[in-house]
Amino acid sequence: MDDNLHIQRFHLPPSPSHFESLIESRNVPAILVGCVKDWRALSEWNPYVGGLDNLQECAGSCIVEAMLTRTAPVFYGDLRSHDRVPIPFSTFIQICKQRLLEKSQGNVVSSELNSNRMTGPDLKKDCLPFEDDSKRLYLAQVPILDVINEERAQLEPLRKDIQTPAFLEKKKLASINLWMNSALSRSSTHYDPHHNVLCIVSGRKQVILWPPSATPSLYPMHIYGEASNHSSVSLEKPDYSLYPRAKYSRKSSQTVVLRAGDALFIPEGWFHQVDSDELTIAVNFWWQSHMMSSVSDHMDAYYLRRILRRLMDREMNEVLRVPCSLAEMDETKSHEPDVLGIKGMDQGVQCLSQAFEGGDLKEKELREETFSHELELCSARALHGLMTLVHDHVSVSDQTGALQSSSTNGSADGEESMNFTSLNSLENDQVAISIWNLEPCVLQKVLLTMANNFPRTLEALILHLLSPIGAEVLTRKFDQMDQRNTAEDQKRFYEVFYSSFDDQFAVMDAILNRKESFARQNIVLSTQVAGNSNRSRSNLCGITTKALLTWLSSSIYLVGHQLETALCNCVLSFFVHVFKSVLDKYVGVNLNGPNPGT
């Protein structure tokens, strides 16, 4: 995990300025030990020292909305898994008293309390559909303060026993809420759309937190659903065949334990899952972050494009990962002197020289006896490997005609007709793998040697064998070279490299066009003419094709007018690899059918 994401622990309450500059601005959770230890609520609400009677006297007549789950002790946010039932606060207090007595007597229930549990004020038997299973009840997010709708503040009388922490005094609070459970409970994994400070009044909570970057492994529900901020993965029995990335979710998680008097800052967007001990009481404060409150509506499309681009770049990095087995093969070879390899390289050079005979005077004037000794062993092996790939893939019969005209035919005009297989699969592209596995300094030496001694071979490699993913890899290696080289060395390298081609600009265009083609393959929608009218009825996880296309064309402008025209004649066939992954991992829209694990 990134060191910048580690949760900090503060033993003194921060000042408003320190909280804003050192904690809130980092967008990383922070534990504030003993932050609310001076609250009156810590003594007045404590169930073990008469706190339930105090709560009964203060707010027992208030009607609260309780969460009645079908999956106790887990409380899922999805409406399909629970009901919201109005009950008198005194009813829940009686349940807590019952639980407290069971604990103190070793689960031996007092017959006296059992006979009186239904006799509290405003308590009627028909208010208790949960009478036989009180463990299914949880007071979750019961408002003490609601800025938008003051009438929703069901427990406003409790406000006198708590104080807004000093570091939040300048914040525009959205709400203050009570969280109270009688039995052990677990909340489903979710994030909040507000900054949050969770304060423990009584009991203990264990909180597991994930940064927003862990979204792919948590499978958030569809973004258009009522529980879009909740994870789809079951806490009791996660189905890893359906959610394979969830196996690795714990690697990016952090766990904290909070006790009475502690507080936890949970930034917006951070996923968290909470386990609460019996008879735990907490209060939380929500407020809108500066980032969200300062973003104007007219900027949404711009930020959407920027964020999508960042996610796409990250996804392309995933595409470019070299399989371990291939990397290990190269690693095992690199520890042995490869005399045979150098001899094989010389044989390859001779074959190439024969193949190009009559085509290029530069190739005829090679000094085969010296150039292999000028290269280190690793560079010589790499040179041999790339030249062998060119020799194996360019047919001898086509070399005389095709290679001589390659500089003109390899320009942008010919890119659309080129057919590269496995554009998004690095492991199936030997040229891309060979380049990817080379250190920048080694690749630089290899390319300079080819430019000085094998210009036509280099031209064949770049214009005929370099696929879109290969172009992406090559330009990334160029970036790495630039970071290591001085400005003078950079200039000298590119002068030698590009001067070896007959048409330097055509080569530049070819590399850039294929690099852009790789990005386009990972971004742009692919459409096709509907061969069957039933295809136009396709529904993608609840979003109609037309709605999704309209959203994309208006918000992202990926294909502009062409997309609008295609709406009349085409259906959405599929999102190419990376864009599908971004929608699946970060938006919760799965385009591959019922299995979201692709």
Side-chain angles (χ1 to χ4, degrees), residues 142-162:
V142 181
I144 297 174
L145 168 71
D146 191 314
V147 173
I148 297 178
N149 186 355
E150 294 182 1
E151 295 180 357
R152 289 193 67 250
Q154 301 163 7
L155 291 176
E156 196 278 335
L158 299 182
R159 181 73 188 275
K160 63 182 179 62
D161 292 334
I162 62 175

Side-chain angles (χ1 to χ4, degrees), residues 94 97-98 101 109-118:
Q94 289 293 331
K97 287 183 176 180
Q98 174 74 11
L101 187 63
V109 180
S110 167
S111 60
E112 180 180 356
L113 181 60
N114 204 32
S115 62
N116 292 333
R117 63 180 295 191
M118 304 296 295

Side-chain angles (χ1 to χ4, degrees), residues 401-472:
L403 293 181
Q404 287 176 347
S405 60
S406 60
S407 290
T408 55
N409 293 338
S411 62
D413 296 337
E415 292 298 314
E416 294 301 325
S417 62
M418 300 183 71
N419 181 25
F420 293 103
T421 60
S422 303
L423 296 183
N424 292 317
S425 180
L426 181 61
E427 58 266 29
N428 293 329
D429 191 321
Q430 289 301 314
V431 171
I433 288 179
S434 298
I435 297 174
W436 185 258
N437 282 335
L438 295 179
E439 289 294 324
C441 58
V442 174
L443 179 61
Q444 180 171 319
K445 292 177 182 178
V446 168
L447 294 177
L448 287 175
T449 301
M450 295 182 75
N452 287 322
N453 299 285
F454 305 98
R456 298 289 73 77
T457 305
L458 178 61
E459 191 171 66
L461 174 69
I462 299 300
L463 294 178
H464 289 267
L465 295 185
L466 195 67
S467 68
I469 196 171
E472 175 69 23

Side-chain angles (χ1 to χ4, degrees), residues 41-61 89-103 113 139 158 178 180-182 201-202 278-281:
L42 265 69
S43 60
E44 293 293 312
W45 300 1
N46 189 337
Y48 298 94
V49 290
L52 295 177
D53 290 332
N54 294 331
L55 289 171
Q56 169 79 34
E57 181 180 352
C58 180
S61 61
F89 188 37
S90 58
T91 299
F92 191 78
I93 292 174
Q94 289 293 331
I95 291 173
C96 292
K97 287 183 176 180
Q98 174 74 11
R99 183 59 190 153
L100 184 61
L101 187 63
E102 290 175 359
K103 288 186 64 177
L113 181 60
L139 294 190
L158 299 182
L178 178 79
M180 187 173 178
N181 56 284
S182 63
V201 175
S202 176
E278 297 171 317
L279 300 169
T280 294
I281 304 174

